[in-house]
Amino acid sequence: MAGVDFGPRATKELLRQYGVIAKKQLGQNFLIDARVLDGIVAAVNADDHTVALEVGPGLGALTTQLAERARQVVAIEKDETLRPLLGGVLAGQGNVELVFADCLKVDIETLVSPFLQEDDDLVFAANLPYYVTTPILFAVLESKLPLRRAVVMVQREVADRMVAAPGGKDYGVLSVGVQYRGAVQRLFVVPPSAFLPQPGVESAVVLIDCEHRPPLRAPDEETFFRVVRAAFSTRRKTLENALAGGLGIAKLEAADLIRRAGLNPSARAEALSIEDFVRLAEQMGP
Ligand code: SAM
């Protein structure tokens, strides 16, 4: 069904027609603002070499737009009751693989890989459910999929943490985790009025450009994230105390590790750059 209208009136009618009531517990706030949708679609920048992975297609507002531009769309939706509605909205879109599952319980790689051809552009596009934004984001970013970019709508505060630079209160595990995987940019802020039902908070659309990741790589990602989590485990403490507590090692050992990485044991985690964390992980060894 190309060119489906997802404005406020048409969306209410669609919900009524299929007897669907938005489920708060699944973070169902459906996008009803065409300009916001256009902004996301422009950032996704899909063409006939694009495979788009969408989590939470909902009523299909973004899915239909992706299907019109990308070669293939793989959309994973947890809410089985949306099956008849999505089947109707996406009728005739032969390039959409709809999977009804909890995206945190399926192997995303196995679902997407069969559709990937050489030279394809894999893009993750989603208006993420607020209650589970970070786990979904990391499930996709940490997969072995050759992701080129991600365009995600998240709560505005989460967007601020994703783009935060060292030194500020927003800089933490989320900032380091996302920025380690790509160049992160907040594209625009979205008011509650862009959704049905309206959420109680503002949202923002964020672009993660995975082709422009920081050049420094940790030899072992698991160790890298263990160090990052330990460093931020307690914000008031110095780096040596945070690492000693978070990694379960002696304070002297932590101080030695920090010095070998060329850092000051009395520094605070929020002052460290991604490269500093990589150097710390290098000193830890696997
Ligand atoms: N993409 C639609 C839009 O923009 O209007 C809906 C976005 S709504 C904010 C989030 C969607 O994610 C809902 O359809 C919800 O059912 C779905 N969802 C929530 N948790 C999920 C999960 N764990 N796995 C897959 N989908 C999920």
Side-chain angles (χ1 to χ4, degrees), residues 6 23 25-32 37 40 54-63 76-79 82 99 101-105 126-132 136 153 195-196:
F6 283 97
K23 296 181 183 63
Q25 72 275 21
L26 285 179
Q28 290 183 349
N29 301 101
F30 303 115
L31 198 51
I32 51 165
L37 201 53
I40 297 173
E54 185 187 11
V55 164
L59 311 182
L62 178 57
T63 326
I76 310 173
E77 171 58 60
K78 184 171 176 178
D79 187 0
L82 294 177
V99 181
D102 180 338
C103 76
L104 296 174
K105 293 189 179 149
N127 169 14
L128 289 170
Y130 294 149
Y131 78 104
V132 70
I136 293 180
M153 174 122 64
F195 303 91
L196 183 85

